[in-house]
Amino acid sequence: MNHLPECRSMNFSVYGGMLDRYKDSNDIKAACKKGGLNGLEVILAGESDQGKILPEMINGVHMYFHIFWMDFWKGDYERLDREFDSREQWIEYYGGMDRNVYLDALRKDLQYAEQVGAKYVVFHVSEVTLRESYVYEYKYTDEEVIDASLEIINILLEEHDYPFDFLVENLWWSGLDMKNPSLTRKLVEGIHSERKGIMLDLGHYMNTSSDLKTPEDAVAYIHEMLDAHEKAGFPVTDWIKGIHLQMSLGGEYVKKQKAEWKTNPMDFDKYSFYELYQLAYAHACDIDLHQPFLGEGVKELIDRINPQYVTEEFQQNSREEYESFVDAQGKLLGYI
């Protein structure tokens, strides 16, 4: 690697299930240091940090998000009525009917990031309803999601001069998927701030193909995306300031699920909203595997990207499992 990234982070959801794995802040710091990491990328979950997360431990903040928000933002209340069990339920879910309730949740994270001195924040540019996640047919196009995201981002960034990088993250649903260089350019150039960039989630990009079988397949696939952006006159490595480092080779699951759907589609109406929510969450986890990215050419790929910020975003089934993943990844990249 040309040099160690400025921020090498553990992904950390601030809720009891993760916090309880560590005795105190010193225990978290020691776990980071052992794996060659130097801080956390946190996502707030509405719970107390138990005094275990100190400002100097935080490299970045992953902002609050809903996986589906476009209907709320655009005021398509009738479609929301169909997605949820009742209008009262989605009003409770979003916290109201006014756009500002969504903006206020995002403002809260931006204010927190400024307060703790974070180097960057991460914002998902993506949209998928629970039903769409199974059928892979989306109401909103990539460009429509990008346009709406830009509206939100620029409202937030024009009302206050934040002292950190604002990074947009790719997913495999509608929005920023990194497969169309002109849309990547539109998003980046459309952000009204100099402190902007991309947080490339490597596993999320792998999820845009169900044909990848090995880490080497994934390395080649990501290089092809970088090459395509360069060929289109938008060298995207100039804008990729961070990566979520993970591997996701869930293609066999996706192919099997799509084949089964043709003969035995799910009857969505038999499930309540929150029952379907749990099923869709498990479904997404079967697609997006969050495993260490270990294989031939991985180090060279990351050298090419040369990110400032790296978050090792692995499964968090247990502290021991996560630390074994971090150890293997760190040794490959020369962090430890």
Side-chain angles (χ1 to χ4, degrees):
M1 180 158 289
N2 298 333
H3 58 82
L4 287 179
E6 174 188 350
C7 297
R8 304 177 306 281
S9 304
M10 175 194 301
N11 64 299
F12 203 103
S13 296
V14 183
Y15 78 106
M18 278 198 69
L19 289 161
D20 291 346
R21 297 173 187 169
Y22 302 91
K23 290 178 289 191
D24 52 28
S25 58
N26 287 332
D27 194 19
I28 298 173
K29 290 178 183 179
C32 287
K33 184 176 181 180
K34 177 175 176 288
L37 308 179
N38 61 9
L40 310 176
E41 182 182 302
V42 301
I43 182 166
L44 302 178
E47 297 185 25
S48 167
D49 66 10
Q50 302 177 17
K52 296 178 181 179
I53 308 296
L54 306 179
E56 65 265 23
M57 298 164 63
I58 299 174
N59 288 332
V61 175
H62 196 310
M63 296 177 67
Y64 168 89
F65 62 93
H66 288 300
I67 61 169
F68 52 95
W69 53 274
M70 289 280 290
D71 291 325
F72 178 81
W73 187 253
K74 288 181 167 291
D76 190 344
Y77 296 158
E78 291 183 3
R79 191 163 186 253
L80 288 173
D81 290 342
R82 294 192 295 273
E83 187 72 21
F84 289 80
D85 299 333
S86 66
R87 180 161 296 194
E88 292 74 21
Q89 187 184 52
W90 68 253
I91 291 173
E92 180 182 8
Y93 178 82
Y94 290 106
M97 298 179 72
D98 186 271
R99 281 181 166 194
N100 266 312
V101 300
Y102 189 43
L103 292 171
D104 283 344
L106 298 170
R107 289 179 180 119
K108 179 181 176 183
D109 280 353
L110 292 170
Q111 291 161 4
Y112 173 79
E114 184 171 31
Q115 175 188 339
V116 298
K119 305 289 197 308
Y120 66 90
V121 298
V122 183
F123 179 84
H124 276 171
V125 178
S126 184
E127 157 77 14
V128 67
T129 67
L130 304 180
R131 292 163 174 78
E132 288 173 342
S133 73
Y134 282 97
V135 299
Y136 303 91
E137 295 175 2
Y138 312 113
K139 175 182 177 181
Y140 297 106
T141 66
D142 293 341
E143 189 163 18
E144 287 173 322
V145 177
I146 285 170
D147 286 341
S149 296
L150 282 172
E151 185 180 4
I152 290 171
I153 292 167
N154 288 326
I155 287 171
L156 296 171
L157 297 187
E158 289 173 359
E159 65 190 15
H160 184 75
D161 184 19
Y162 292 102
F164 43 70
D165 288 334
F166 190 99
L167 307 182
V168 288
E169 180 181 352
N170 60 299
L171 278 94
W172 65 97
W173 295 308
S174 287
L176 177 66
D177 61 12
M178 303 299 294
K179 293 179 70 67
N180 186 328
S182 66
L183 289 181
T184 308
R185 179 197 290 268
K186 179 177 185 177
L187 174 60
V188 172
E189 293 184 348
I191 297 173
H192 299 169
S193 171
E194 294 303 311
R195 301 205 61 173
K196 61 185 175 182
I198 295 169
M199 174 64 78
L200 175 65
D201 190 303
L202 298 176
H204 288 174
Y205 185 68
M206 295 175 207
N207 294 339
T208 65
S209 171
S210 56
D211 294 327
L212 307 178
K213 299 184 183 302
T214 67
E216 291 72 26
D217 291 342
V219 167
Y221 186 62
I222 296 165
H223 275 300
E224 289 169 5
M225 178 270 289
L226 300 176
D227 292 343
H229 280 75
E230 288 185 3
K231 186 176 179 180
F234 189 69
V236 74
T237 51
D238 291 348
W239 293 102
I240 298 172
K241 294 188 177 181
I243 59 172
H244 282 168
L245 180 54
Q246 59 122 334
M247 183 177 71
S248 180
L249 300 175
E252 288 304 311
Y253 167 79
V254 171
K255 288 180 177 179
K256 180 180 178 184
Q257 185 258 319
K258 286 182 175 179
E260 290 177 349
W261 191 272
K262 289 181 179 179
T263 57
N264 188 30
M266 180 185 293
D267 179 7
F268 293 123
D269 293 337
K270 69 184 283 189
Y271 298 103
S272 70
F273 170 77
Y274 282 108
E275 287 172 337
L276 184 58
Y277 191 99
Q278 292 298 322
L279 290 171
Y281 180 81
H283 167 60
C285 290
D286 284 333
I287 299 171
D288 193 28
L289 299 176
H290 288 267
Q291 297 172 334
F293 194 8
L294 307 172
E296 190 73 28
V298 171
K299 184 176 184 299
E300 291 74 16
L301 170 65
I302 296 171
D303 282 347
R304 177 182 180 183
I305 297 170
N306 196 24
Q308 293 173 245
Y309 315 126
V310 172
T311 299
E312 297 191 2
E313 194 174 82
F314 304 139
Q315 300 179 65
Q316 291 279 2
N317 294 325
S318 71
R319 174 175 176 172
E320 293 73 23
E321 180 184 55
Y322 180 81
E323 291 183 1
S324 71
F325 290 164
V326 169
D327 184 71
Q329 192 74 71
K331 287 176 179 175
L332 178 74
L333 297 180
Y335 295 174
I336 54 177

